PDB file of all heavy atoms in Angstrom:
ATOM      1  N   LYS A   1     -72.501 -51.480  51.774  1.00 95.00           N
ATOM      2  CA  LYS A   1     -73.815 -51.857  51.343  1.00 95.00           C
ATOM      3  C   LYS A   1     -74.360 -53.071  52.168  1.00 95.00           C
ATOM      4  O   LYS A   1     -75.578 -53.410  52.048  1.00 95.00           O
ATOM      5  CB  LYS A   1     -73.808 -52.302  49.909  1.00 95.00           C
ATOM      6  CG  LYS A   1     -73.753 -51.066  48.972  1.00 95.00           C
ATOM      7  CD  LYS A   1     -73.747 -51.405  47.462  1.00 95.00           C
ATOM      8  CE  LYS A   1     -73.747 -50.141  46.596  1.00 95.00           C
ATOM      9  NZ  LYS A   1     -73.805 -50.414  45.220  1.00 95.00           N
ATOM     10  N   LYS A   2     -73.467 -53.741  52.966  1.00 94.00           N
ATOM     11  CA  LYS A   2     -73.948 -54.798  53.847  1.00 94.00           C
ATOM     12  C   LYS A   2     -74.816 -54.321  54.970  1.00 94.00           C
ATOM     13  O   LYS A   2     -75.463 -55.033  55.705  1.00 94.00           O
ATOM     14  CB  LYS A   2     -72.694 -55.537  54.371  1.00 94.00           C
ATOM     15  CG  LYS A   2     -71.948 -56.254  53.300  1.00 94.00           C
ATOM     16  CD  LYS A   2     -70.692 -56.863  53.973  1.00 94.00           C
ATOM     17  CE  LYS A   2     -69.801 -57.601  52.946  1.00 94.00           C
ATOM     18  NZ  LYS A   2     -68.604 -58.166  53.467  1.00 94.00           N
ATOM     19  N   TYR A   3     -74.733 -52.935  55.171  1.00 95.00           N
ATOM     20  CA  TYR A   3     -75.378 -52.327  56.464  1.00 95.00           C
ATOM     21  C   TYR A   3     -76.723 -51.730  56.000  1.00 95.00           C
ATOM     22  O   TYR A   3     -77.328 -51.040  56.821  1.00 95.00           O
ATOM     23  CB  TYR A   3     -74.529 -51.272  57.047  1.00 95.00           C
ATOM     24  CG  TYR A   3     -73.333 -51.840  57.658  1.00 95.00           C
ATOM     25  CD1 TYR A   3     -72.123 -52.192  56.846  1.00 95.00           C
ATOM     26  CD2 TYR A   3     -73.155 -52.142  58.974  1.00 95.00           C
ATOM     27  CE1 TYR A   3     -71.004 -52.758  57.459  1.00 95.00           C
ATOM     28  CE2 TYR A   3     -72.094 -52.720  59.660  1.00 95.00           C
ATOM     29  CZ  TYR A   3     -71.015 -53.037  58.857  1.00 95.00           C
ATOM     30  OH  TYR A   3     -69.897 -53.598  59.414  1.00 95.00           O
ATOM     31  N   GLY A   4     -77.178 -52.019  54.759  1.00 94.00           N
ATOM     32  CA  GLY A   4     -78.520 -51.561  54.420  1.00 94.00           C
ATOM     33  C   GLY A   4     -78.476 -50.841  53.079  1.00 94.00           C
ATOM     34  O   GLY A   4     -77.361 -50.298  52.713  1.00 94.00           O
ATOM     35  N   ARG A   5     -79.535 -50.774  52.327  1.00 94.00           N
ATOM     36  CA  ARG A   5     -79.596 -50.033  51.066  1.00 94.00           C
ATOM     37  C   ARG A   5     -79.998 -48.641  51.213  1.00 94.00           C
ATOM     38  O   ARG A   5     -81.112 -48.409  51.866  1.00 94.00           O
ATOM     39  CB  ARG A   5     -80.510 -50.821  50.088  1.00 94.00           C
ATOM     40  CG  ARG A   5     -80.043 -52.211  49.819  1.00 94.00           C
ATOM     41  CD  ARG A   5     -78.752 -52.309  49.029  1.00 94.00           C
ATOM     42  NE  ARG A   5     -78.786 -51.635  47.798  1.00 94.00           N
ATOM     43  CZ  ARG A   5     -77.811 -51.776  46.847  1.00 94.00           C
ATOM     44  NH1 ARG A   5     -76.708 -52.391  47.214  1.00 94.00           N
ATOM     45  NH2 ARG A   5     -77.905 -51.169  45.778  1.00 94.00           N
ATOM     46  N   ALA A   6     -79.337 -47.701  50.632  1.00 95.00           N
ATOM     47  CA  ALA A   6     -79.611 -46.268  50.716  1.00 95.00           C
ATOM     48  C   ALA A   6     -80.281 -45.735  49.545  1.00 95.00           C
ATOM     49  O   ALA A   6     -80.312 -46.341  48.475  1.00 95.00           O
ATOM     50  CB  ALA A   6     -78.245 -45.492  50.916  1.00 95.00           C
ATOM     51  N   LYS A   7     -80.799 -44.536  49.768  1.00 96.00           N
ATOM     52  CA  LYS A   7     -81.410 -43.747  48.607  1.00 96.00           C
ATOM     53  C   LYS A   7     -80.454 -43.375  47.565  1.00 96.00           C
ATOM     54  O   LYS A   7     -80.682 -43.478  46.449  1.00 96.00           O
ATOM     55  CB  LYS A   7     -82.166 -42.609  49.204  1.00 96.00           C
ATOM     56  CG  LYS A   7     -82.868 -41.632  48.289  1.00 96.00           C
ATOM     57  CD  LYS A   7     -83.445 -40.399  48.937  1.00 96.00           C
ATOM     58  CE  LYS A   7     -84.012 -39.470  48.050  1.00 96.00           C
ATOM     59  NZ  LYS A   7     -84.700 -38.298  48.677  1.00 96.00           N
ATOM     60  N   ARG A   8     -79.303 -42.930  48.119  1.00 96.00           N
ATOM     61  CA  ARG A   8     -78.191 -42.362  47.131  1.00 96.00           C
ATOM     62  C   ARG A   8     -76.853 -42.898  47.776  1.00 96.00           C
ATOM     63  O   ARG A   8     -76.706 -42.872  49.007  1.00 96.00           O
ATOM     64  CB  ARG A   8     -78.211 -40.931  47.077  1.00 96.00           C
ATOM     65  CG  ARG A   8     -79.336 -40.290  46.316  1.00 96.00           C
ATOM     66  CD  ARG A   8     -79.271 -38.802  46.396  1.00 96.00           C
ATOM     67  NE  ARG A   8     -78.130 -38.219  45.612  1.00 96.00           N
ATOM     68  CZ  ARG A   8     -77.743 -36.904  45.626  1.00 96.00           C
ATOM     69  NH1 ARG A   8     -78.443 -36.059  46.429  1.00 96.00           N
ATOM     70  NH2 ARG A   8     -76.764 -36.479  44.880  1.00 96.00           N
ATOM     71  N   TYR A   9     -75.917 -43.105  46.845  1.00 97.00           N
ATOM     72  CA  TYR A   9     -74.556 -43.365  47.229  1.00 97.00           C
ATOM     73  C   TYR A   9     -73.629 -42.304  46.462  1.00 97.00           C
ATOM     74  O   TYR A   9     -73.709 -42.150  45.286  1.00 97.00           O
ATOM     75  CB  TYR A   9     -74.040 -44.721  46.856  1.00 97.00           C
ATOM     76  CG  TYR A   9     -74.649 -45.838  47.651  1.00 97.00           C
ATOM     77  CD1 TYR A   9     -75.913 -46.389  47.225  1.00 97.00           C
ATOM     78  CD2 TYR A   9     -74.239 -46.301  48.912  1.00 97.00           C
ATOM     79  CE1 TYR A   9     -76.513 -47.398  47.974  1.00 97.00           C
ATOM     80  CE2 TYR A   9     -74.799 -47.232  49.645  1.00 97.00           C
ATOM     81  CZ  TYR A   9     -75.999 -47.822  49.168  1.00 97.00           C
ATOM     82  OH  TYR A   9     -76.576 -48.732  49.875  1.00 97.00           O
ATOM     83  N   VAL A  10     -72.864 -41.520  47.277  1.00 97.00           N
ATOM     84  CA  VAL A  10     -72.095 -40.486  46.689  1.00 97.00           C
ATOM     85  C   VAL A  10     -70.681 -40.554  47.205  1.00 97.00           C
ATOM     86  O   VAL A  10     -70.389 -40.858  48.446  1.00 97.00           O
ATOM     87  CB  VAL A  10     -72.655 -39.058  47.197  1.00 97.00           C
ATOM     88  CG1 VAL A  10     -71.874 -37.947  46.660  1.00 97.00           C
ATOM     89  CG2 VAL A  10     -74.181 -38.980  46.747  1.00 97.00           C
ATOM     90  N   VAL A  11     -69.665 -40.419  46.265  1.00 97.00           N
ATOM     91  CA  VAL A  11     -68.335 -40.371  46.675  1.00 97.00           C
ATOM     92  C   VAL A  11     -67.851 -38.857  46.574  1.00 97.00           C
ATOM     93  O   VAL A  11     -68.104 -38.211  45.461  1.00 97.00           O
ATOM     94  CB  VAL A  11     -67.422 -41.215  45.681  1.00 97.00           C
ATOM     95  CG1 VAL A  11     -65.981 -40.866  45.904  1.00 97.00           C
ATOM     96  CG2 VAL A  11     -67.781 -42.678  45.912  1.00 97.00           C
ATOM     97  N   VAL A  12     -67.341 -38.388  47.607  1.00 97.00           N
ATOM     98  CA  VAL A  12     -66.764 -37.021  47.583  1.00 97.00           C
ATOM     99  C   VAL A  12     -65.183 -37.122  47.746  1.00 97.00           C
ATOM    100  O   VAL A  12     -64.669 -37.685  48.697  1.00 97.00           O
ATOM    101  CB  VAL A  12     -67.284 -36.096  48.753  1.00 97.00           C
ATOM    102  CG1 VAL A  12     -66.617 -34.790  48.790  1.00 97.00           C
ATOM    103  CG2 VAL A  12     -68.813 -35.886  48.552  1.00 97.00           C
ATOM    104  N   GLY A  13     -64.467 -36.499  46.760  1.00 96.00           N
ATOM    105  CA  GLY A  13     -63.023 -36.507  46.853  1.00 96.00           C
ATOM    106  C   GLY A  13     -62.405 -35.246  46.316  1.00 96.00           C
ATOM    107  O   GLY A  13     -63.180 -34.314  45.977  1.00 96.00           O
ATOM    108  N   VAL A  14     -61.151 -35.185  46.378  1.00 97.00           N
ATOM    109  CA  VAL A  14     -60.363 -33.989  45.953  1.00 97.00           C
ATOM    110  C   VAL A  14     -59.998 -34.181  44.469  1.00 97.00           C
ATOM    111  O   VAL A  14     -60.213 -33.426  43.594  1.00 97.00           O
ATOM    112  CB  VAL A  14     -59.151 -33.770  46.713  1.00 97.00           C
ATOM    113  CG1 VAL A  14     -58.315 -32.556  46.204  1.00 97.00           C
ATOM    114  CG2 VAL A  14     -59.501 -33.435  48.198  1.00 97.00           C
ATOM    115  N   LEU A  15     -59.325 -35.301  44.164  1.00 97.00           N
ATOM    116  CA  LEU A  15     -58.889 -35.595  42.775  1.00 97.00           C
ATOM    117  C   LEU A  15     -59.276 -37.032  42.303  1.00 97.00           C
ATOM    118  O   LEU A  15     -59.298 -37.901  43.238  1.00 97.00           O
ATOM    119  CB  LEU A  15     -57.304 -35.428  42.660  1.00 97.00           C
ATOM    120  CG  LEU A  15     -56.739 -34.101  42.844  1.00 97.00           C
ATOM    121  CD1 LEU A  15     -55.224 -34.224  42.693  1.00 97.00           C
ATOM    122  CD2 LEU A  15     -57.307 -33.197  41.712  1.00 97.00           C
ATOM    123  N   ALA A  16     -59.529 -37.223  41.117  1.00 97.00           N
ATOM    124  CA  ALA A  16     -59.912 -38.486  40.482  1.00 97.00           C
ATOM    125  C   ALA A  16     -59.099 -38.734  39.242  1.00 97.00           C
ATOM    126  O   ALA A  16     -58.812 -37.795  38.499  1.00 97.00           O
ATOM    127  CB  ALA A  16     -61.356 -38.676  40.286  1.00 97.00           C
ATOM    128  N   ALA A  17     -58.689 -39.939  38.988  1.00 96.00           N
ATOM    129  CA  ALA A  17     -58.149 -40.382  37.751  1.00 96.00           C
ATOM    130  C   ALA A  17     -59.212 -41.108  36.956  1.00 96.00           C
ATOM    131  O   ALA A  17     -60.107 -41.758  37.560  1.00 96.00           O
ATOM    132  CB  ALA A  17     -56.987 -41.270  37.962  1.00 96.00           C
ATOM    133  N   PRO A  18     -59.207 -40.967  35.579  1.00 96.00           N
ATOM    134  CA  PRO A  18     -60.265 -41.678  34.772  1.00 96.00           C
ATOM    135  C   PRO A  18     -60.306 -43.104  35.060  1.00 96.00           C
ATOM    136  O   PRO A  18     -61.275 -43.705  35.049  1.00 96.00           O
ATOM    137  CB  PRO A  18     -59.768 -41.305  33.337  1.00 96.00           C
ATOM    138  CG  PRO A  18     -58.969 -40.003  33.487  1.00 96.00           C
ATOM    139  CD  PRO A  18     -58.336 -40.102  34.829  1.00 96.00           C
ATOM    140  N   GLU A  19     -59.188 -43.731  35.314  1.00 95.00           N
ATOM    141  CA  GLU A  19     -59.084 -45.150  35.585  1.00 95.00           C
ATOM    142  C   GLU A  19     -59.875 -45.608  36.758  1.00 95.00           C
ATOM    143  O   GLU A  19     -60.546 -46.531  36.826  1.00 95.00           O
ATOM    144  CB  GLU A  19     -57.591 -45.646  35.757  1.00 95.00           C
ATOM    145  CG  GLU A  19     -56.722 -45.483  34.491  1.00 95.00           C
ATOM    146  CD  GLU A  19     -55.999 -44.176  34.511  1.00 95.00           C
ATOM    147  OE1 GLU A  19     -56.507 -43.165  35.058  1.00 95.00           O
ATOM    148  OE2 GLU A  19     -54.858 -44.107  34.029  1.00 95.00           O
ATOM    149  N   GLY A  20     -59.750 -44.762  37.871  1.00 95.00           N
ATOM    150  CA  GLY A  20     -60.472 -45.013  39.095  1.00 95.00           C
ATOM    151  C   GLY A  20     -61.967 -44.869  38.863  1.00 95.00           C
ATOM    152  O   GLY A  20     -62.834 -45.556  39.389  1.00 95.00           O
ATOM    153  N   ILE A  21     -62.392 -43.855  38.198  1.00 97.00           N
ATOM    154  CA  ILE A  21     -63.838 -43.541  37.908  1.00 97.00           C
ATOM    155  C   ILE A  21     -64.367 -44.742  37.063  1.00 97.00           C
ATOM    156  O   ILE A  21     -65.416 -45.252  37.463  1.00 97.00           O
ATOM    157  CB  ILE A  21     -63.978 -42.249  37.156  1.00 97.00           C
ATOM    158  CG1 ILE A  21     -63.575 -41.121  38.036  1.00 97.00           C
ATOM    159  CG2 ILE A  21     -65.517 -42.076  36.822  1.00 97.00           C
ATOM    160  CD1 ILE A  21     -63.551 -39.749  37.408  1.00 97.00           C
ATOM    161  N   ASP A  22     -63.629 -45.211  36.098  1.00 96.00           N
ATOM    162  CA  ASP A  22     -64.088 -46.340  35.353  1.00 96.00           C
ATOM    163  C   ASP A  22     -64.340 -47.603  36.178  1.00 96.00           C
ATOM    164  O   ASP A  22     -65.313 -48.249  36.092  1.00 96.00           O
ATOM    165  CB  ASP A  22     -63.009 -46.662  34.238  1.00 96.00           C
ATOM    166  CG  ASP A  22     -63.101 -45.746  33.061  1.00 96.00           C
ATOM    167  OD1 ASP A  22     -64.161 -45.008  32.882  1.00 96.00           O
ATOM    168  OD2 ASP A  22     -62.064 -45.615  32.394  1.00 96.00           O
ATOM    169  N   ARG A  23     -63.342 -47.860  37.119  1.00 95.00           N
ATOM    170  CA  ARG A  23     -63.455 -49.042  37.925  1.00 95.00           C
ATOM    171  C   ARG A  23     -64.686 -48.940  38.827  1.00 95.00           C
ATOM    172  O   ARG A  23     -65.397 -49.988  38.969  1.00 95.00           O
ATOM    173  CB  ARG A  23     -62.107 -49.111  38.763  1.00 95.00           C
ATOM    174  CG  ARG A  23     -62.097 -50.280  39.758  1.00 95.00           C
ATOM    175  CD  ARG A  23     -61.783 -51.588  39.045  1.00 95.00           C
ATOM    176  NE  ARG A  23     -61.810 -52.667  40.025  1.00 95.00           N
ATOM    177  CZ  ARG A  23     -60.752 -53.025  40.764  1.00 95.00           C
ATOM    178  NH1 ARG A  23     -59.640 -52.298  40.715  1.00 95.00           N
ATOM    179  NH2 ARG A  23     -60.765 -54.048  41.607  1.00 95.00           N
ATOM    180  N   ILE A  24     -64.878 -47.790  39.440  1.00 96.00           N
ATOM    181  CA  ILE A  24     -66.058 -47.687  40.352  1.00 96.00           C
ATOM    182  C   ILE A  24     -67.369 -47.863  39.574  1.00 96.00           C
ATOM    183  O   ILE A  24     -68.276 -48.501  39.989  1.00 96.00           O
ATOM    184  CB  ILE A  24     -65.957 -46.379  41.071  1.00 96.00           C
ATOM    185  CG1 ILE A  24     -64.781 -46.346  42.088  1.00 96.00           C
ATOM    186  CG2 ILE A  24     -67.303 -46.122  41.948  1.00 96.00           C
ATOM    187  CD1 ILE A  24     -64.422 -45.018  42.585  1.00 96.00           C
ATOM    188  N   LYS A  25     -67.423 -47.157  38.474  1.00 96.00           N
ATOM    189  CA  LYS A  25     -68.684 -47.296  37.576  1.00 96.00           C
ATOM    190  C   LYS A  25     -68.972 -48.575  37.119  1.00 96.00           C
ATOM    191  O   LYS A  25     -70.131 -48.999  36.876  1.00 96.00           O
ATOM    192  CB  LYS A  25     -68.585 -46.181  36.513  1.00 96.00           C
ATOM    193  CG  LYS A  25     -68.761 -44.773  36.904  1.00 96.00           C
ATOM    194  CD  LYS A  25     -70.279 -44.555  37.440  1.00 96.00           C
ATOM    195  CE  LYS A  25     -70.581 -43.177  37.696  1.00 96.00           C
ATOM    196  NZ  LYS A  25     -71.887 -42.978  38.100  1.00 96.00           N
ATOM    197  N   GLU A  26     -67.902 -49.399  36.904  1.00 95.00           N
ATOM    198  CA  GLU A  26     -68.183 -50.804  36.362  1.00 95.00           C
ATOM    199  C   GLU A  26     -68.887 -51.684  37.416  1.00 95.00           C
ATOM    200  O   GLU A  26     -69.613 -52.529  37.102  1.00 95.00           O
ATOM    201  CB  GLU A  26     -66.755 -51.460  36.042  1.00 95.00           C
ATOM    202  CG  GLU A  26     -66.216 -50.896  34.711  1.00 95.00           C
ATOM    203  CD  GLU A  26     -64.814 -51.401  34.527  1.00 95.00           C
ATOM    204  OE1 GLU A  26     -64.306 -52.182  35.391  1.00 95.00           O
ATOM    205  OE2 GLU A  26     -64.160 -50.950  33.515  1.00 95.00           O
ATOM    206  N   THR A  27     -68.504 -51.375  38.686  1.00 95.00           N
ATOM    207  CA  THR A  27     -68.975 -52.269  39.753  1.00 95.00           C
ATOM    208  C   THR A  27     -70.157 -51.573  40.580  1.00 95.00           C
ATOM    209  O   THR A  27     -70.975 -52.321  41.094  1.00 95.00           O
ATOM    210  CB  THR A  27     -67.922 -52.691  40.743  1.00 95.00           C
ATOM    211  OG1 THR A  27     -67.183 -51.459  41.226  1.00 95.00           O
ATOM    212  CG2 THR A  27     -66.891 -53.613  40.083  1.00 95.00           C
ATOM    213  N   HIS A  28     -70.172 -50.376  40.632  1.00 96.00           N
ATOM    214  CA  HIS A  28     -71.200 -49.601  41.333  1.00 96.00           C
ATOM    215  C   HIS A  28     -71.736 -48.508  40.435  1.00 96.00           C
ATOM    216  O   HIS A  28     -71.479 -47.260  40.681  1.00 96.00           O
ATOM    217  CB  HIS A  28     -70.694 -49.151  42.667  1.00 96.00           C
ATOM    218  CG  HIS A  28     -70.285 -50.123  43.569  1.00 96.00           C
ATOM    219  ND1 HIS A  28     -71.162 -50.870  44.349  1.00 96.00           N
ATOM    220  CD2 HIS A  28     -69.071 -50.548  43.915  1.00 96.00           C
ATOM    221  CE1 HIS A  28     -70.467 -51.697  45.066  1.00 96.00           C
ATOM    222  NE2 HIS A  28     -69.138 -51.590  44.833  1.00 96.00           N
ATOM    223  N   PRO A  29     -72.423 -48.782  39.361  1.00 96.00           N
ATOM    224  CA  PRO A  29     -72.807 -47.808  38.437  1.00 96.00           C
ATOM    225  C   PRO A  29     -73.771 -46.686  38.912  1.00 96.00           C
ATOM    226  O   PRO A  29     -73.776 -45.604  38.309  1.00 96.00           O
ATOM    227  CB  PRO A  29     -73.571 -48.628  37.292  1.00 96.00           C
ATOM    228  CG  PRO A  29     -73.996 -49.889  37.926  1.00 96.00           C
ATOM    229  CD  PRO A  29     -72.880 -50.185  38.993  1.00 96.00           C
ATOM    230  N   GLU A  30     -74.419 -46.922  40.023  1.00 97.00           N
ATOM    231  CA  GLU A  30     -75.406 -45.912  40.557  1.00 97.00           C
ATOM    232  C   GLU A  30     -74.678 -44.881  41.393  1.00 97.00           C
ATOM    233  O   GLU A  30     -75.289 -43.837  41.710  1.00 97.00           O
ATOM    234  CB  GLU A  30     -76.450 -46.611  41.384  1.00 97.00           C
ATOM    235  CG  GLU A  30     -76.079 -46.980  42.823  1.00 97.00           C
ATOM    236  CD  GLU A  30     -75.130 -48.255  42.935  1.00 97.00           C
ATOM    237  OE1 GLU A  30     -74.636 -48.776  41.889  1.00 97.00           O
ATOM    238  OE2 GLU A  30     -74.962 -48.645  43.985  1.00 97.00           O
ATOM    239  N   VAL A  31     -73.446 -45.053  41.741  1.00 97.00           N
ATOM    240  CA  VAL A  31     -72.742 -44.185  42.558  1.00 97.00           C
ATOM    241  C   VAL A  31     -72.408 -42.869  41.909  1.00 97.00           C
ATOM    242  O   VAL A  31     -72.024 -42.888  40.679  1.00 97.00           O
ATOM    243  CB  VAL A  31     -71.438 -44.781  43.062  1.00 97.00           C
ATOM    244  CG1 VAL A  31     -70.532 -43.722  43.774  1.00 97.00           C
ATOM    245  CG2 VAL A  31     -71.766 -45.895  44.011  1.00 97.00           C
ATOM    246  N   GLU A  32     -72.784 -41.747  42.555  1.00 97.00           N
ATOM    247  CA  GLU A  32     -72.403 -40.400  42.019  1.00 97.00           C
ATOM    248  C   GLU A  32     -71.016 -39.986  42.570  1.00 97.00           C
ATOM    249  O   GLU A  32     -70.615 -40.417  43.732  1.00 97.00           O
ATOM    250  CB  GLU A  32     -73.500 -39.345  42.438  1.00 97.00           C
ATOM    251  CG  GLU A  32     -74.950 -39.755  42.007  1.00 97.00           C
ATOM    252  CD  GLU A  32     -75.972 -38.940  42.735  1.00 97.00           C
ATOM    253  OE1 GLU A  32     -75.999 -37.719  42.608  1.00 97.00           O
ATOM    254  OE2 GLU A  32     -76.733 -39.546  43.410  1.00 97.00           O
ATOM    255  N   MET A  33     -70.380 -39.126  41.871  1.00 97.00           N
ATOM    256  CA  MET A  33     -69.036 -38.700  42.333  1.00 97.00           C
ATOM    257  C   MET A  33     -68.864 -37.228  42.107  1.00 97.00           C
ATOM    258  O   MET A  33     -69.147 -36.649  41.099  1.00 97.00           O
ATOM    259  CB  MET A  33     -67.968 -39.454  41.483  1.00 97.00           C
ATOM    260  CG  MET A  33     -68.119 -40.967  41.564  1.00 97.00           C
ATOM    261  SD  MET A  33     -66.943 -41.875  40.583  1.00 97.00           S
ATOM    262  CE  MET A  33     -65.406 -41.614  41.596  1.00 97.00           C
ATOM    263  N   PHE A  34     -68.379 -36.623  43.175  1.00 97.00           N
ATOM    264  CA  PHE A  34     -68.149 -35.171  43.174  1.00 97.00           C
ATOM    265  C   PHE A  34     -66.756 -34.934  43.624  1.00 97.00           C
ATOM    266  O   PHE A  34     -66.262 -35.305  44.794  1.00 97.00           O
ATOM    267  CB  PHE A  34     -69.015 -34.455  44.254  1.00 97.00           C
ATOM    268  CG  PHE A  34     -70.485 -34.519  43.860  1.00 97.00           C
ATOM    269  CD1 PHE A  34     -71.260 -35.647  44.097  1.00 97.00           C
ATOM    270  CD2 PHE A  34     -71.149 -33.464  43.246  1.00 97.00           C
ATOM    271  CE1 PHE A  34     -72.628 -35.717  43.720  1.00 97.00           C
ATOM    272  CE2 PHE A  34     -72.576 -33.475  42.921  1.00 97.00           C
ATOM    273  CZ  PHE A  34     -73.188 -34.633  43.142  1.00 97.00           C
ATOM    274  N   VAL A  35     -65.888 -34.365  42.755  1.00 97.00           N
ATOM    275  CA  VAL A  35     -64.453 -34.162  42.987  1.00 97.00           C
ATOM    276  C   VAL A  35     -64.076 -32.713  42.632  1.00 97.00           C
ATOM    277  O   VAL A  35     -64.765 -32.090  41.738  1.00 97.00           O
ATOM    278  CB  VAL A  35     -63.535 -35.139  42.390  1.00 97.00           C
ATOM    279  CG1 VAL A  35     -63.840 -36.566  42.875  1.00 97.00           C
ATOM    280  CG2 VAL A  35     -63.742 -35.041  40.819  1.00 97.00           C
TER     281      VAL A  35
END
């Protein structure tokens, strides 16, 4: 985010744990996630 503000932020992964999703959503709530 230091390199400019985008229209959308998306995380693409294979697997996620609920703990990790919670952590990301706490600090970057606008981020979408596709796993």
Side-chain angles (χ1 to χ4, degrees):
K1 287 182 177 180
K2 296 176 183 178
Y3 292 81
R5 299 295 297 187
K7 176 181 178 179
R8 293 174 70 188
Y9 292 92
V10 177
V11 169
V12 173
V14 177
L15 292 177
E19 297 93 326
I21 298 174
D22 285 339
R23 177 78 182 276
I24 293 166
K25 283 293 186 178
E26 285 171 5
T27 52
H28 298 280
E30 80 285 9
V31 170
E32 303 164 64
M33 305 177 72
F34 295 80
V35 295

